[in-house]
Each structure stands twice: as C-alpha cells, then as structure tokens.
Amino acid sequence: MSRFPVRVVCHAILRIDVVPARVRALETEIRRRCAESDAQLVEFCVDFGKPKRRAEDYPALNYLRSGKADALLIVGVPSDKPLPPGDLLTSRALSGFPMGWLNVPKLRELGLLPPAIGPRSLAAQRAATLRERRFPCDVIARWLDAEGYAAPNDDPGHFTRGDVLKLLREARATRPPTLPDEPQDSPAALL
C-alpha cells in the first residue's frame, strides 16, 4: 500500500427504492476497491437523486472544499437507469455516464468548487511545513490543490512536482537564519 493514499469521497446517487442492505453493500464494495487502489475513502455520501442546482447542496463537495479530500468518486446506482435530469453535479461531471472520478482541479474547472485563491507565499509556507513532516513532493502538490492554493501556471492548472520544488526553494530562501541558543565566545549566564 502507498504511504500517502489519495483521499476520496464517494457521492452515491441512488434510486428511492434501493434498500438499506444494498446501500451498505455498495459502501463495502467502494471501500474494498479504494483499499485495493491505495486510496483512502474519507466519506460515503448517499444522495437519493433529487436534482440540486447549487454546489453547496452536495455534502460530498464540502470535503473537497475544505481540503479534506483529493478526489470525488460519483456512482449512480443502478447503473442502467438514467441519472436525474437537471442535476448540477451529474450534468457537469458525468456527461451521461453512471460513474465518474474527478480531482480537485477538474472540479474547480467545472465550477463545482470555488477557484483556488491561496497566495503563493502561503503556499510556499504550507509546502515547507508538509515537507518537514516528510511528505513527498507529489503528495504536497495534491494537498496544495485540495487546500485551495492557486497553481502557478494555468497550464496544467494544478500543482506539479516541479512547482512544489520551486516553492520549497523559495521558502528556504525567505526563512530567517536561526540563531544559536547561546552566543559563541560568551560567558554562560550566572545563576
């Protein structure tokens, strides 16, 4: 298993007549598949398919909006039935398919999450903090995207490993030098 799995939230769109046992079985299956794919299922959100018109109406998106998840898995059950018409999430994210996997930059591009606005100086500080905790650069990039820091380039529109390395160099250059606990060549303080 990967040391730093992708954090996933699942949004399951169900028909009203689906029984609770079927919902539990679906959640178990999603958890199993996430574990096999080195992903961590953060939450399993159930939606009974009533059309929503605002992104704020989806509890699953709150996990992505707050930086607690990196990707959204959308599953329509049963898969042979059409998805609810007029629903914001399914119309923008699924294009008629019963299942979809979207990362934070793609959700921002589709207008389902607010634009990333975190300033570069704060992104550099956050990258340095995550690096001190021994996170690899690709995981730091994912977290910066998830936490809403604006990527340095419109193309590709998300943080890359190279972007993180630049941020880490910037953070090192702007960090004030540390002072020793006691000045050299000075007598120790008397008690």
Side-chain angles (χ1 to χ4, degrees):
M1 182 172 162
S2 169
R3 188 169 166 206
F4 302 101
V6 172
R7 301 167 300 160
V8 178
V9 85
C10 179
H11 180 82
I13 305 164
L14 308 172
R15 277 197 344 224
I16 270 299
D17 60 349
V18 173
V19 294
R22 175 79 168 117
V23 175
R24 284 192 298 276
L26 176 64
E27 181 178 3
T28 301
E29 177 68 12
I30 297 293
R31 283 192 187 284
R32 184 184 66 75
R33 288 190 180 209
C34 283
E36 288 173 356
S37 303
D38 290 339
Q40 173 192 0
L41 183 63
V42 174
E43 187 62 58
F44 182 82
C45 300
V46 176
D47 179 353
F48 285 106
K50 295 181 181 176
K52 295 165 191 61
R53 309 247 185 264
R54 299 176 345 175
E56 296 80 25
D57 295 336
Y58 298 97
L61 291 179
N62 289 336
Y63 289 89
L64 295 137
R65 201 176 290 114
S66 65
K68 294 178 181 175
D70 306 308
L72 175 67
L73 172 63
I74 307 168
V75 180
V77 176
S79 61
D80 59 344
K81 300 289 182 191
L83 294 168
D87 185 71
L88 179 68
L89 184 63
T90 58
S91 66
R92 290 192 185 178
L94 292 183
S95 305
F97 294 101
M99 188 171 168
W101 174 271
L102 300 125
N103 62 15
V104 170
K106 184 65 176 176
L107 289 165
R108 289 188 199 292
E109 182 184 310
L110 294 171
L112 294 168
L113 290 178
I117 57 170
R120 187 173 178 87
S121 61
L122 293 179
Q125 291 173 6
R126 181 64 172 145
T129 300
L130 291 170
R131 189 64 178 170
E132 287 170 2
R133 292 174 55 197
R134 301 195 184 278
F135 284 99
C137 290
D138 59 328
V139 173
I140 294 171
R142 241 182 22 224
W143 279 39
L144 293 175
D145 285 331
E147 292 176 355
Y149 294 100
N153 302 314
D154 290 337
D155 184 31
H158 59 84
F159 279 93
T160 63
R161 186 176 191 285
D163 296 331
V164 171
L165 291 171
K166 287 178 190 174
L167 287 174
L168 293 172
R169 281 192 294 272
E170 285 175 20
R172 260 181 285 183
T174 61
R175 185 175 290 173
T178 57
L179 298 175
D181 291 337
E182 192 173 312
Q184 293 179 347
D185 300 330
S186 67
L190 298 173
L191 297 176

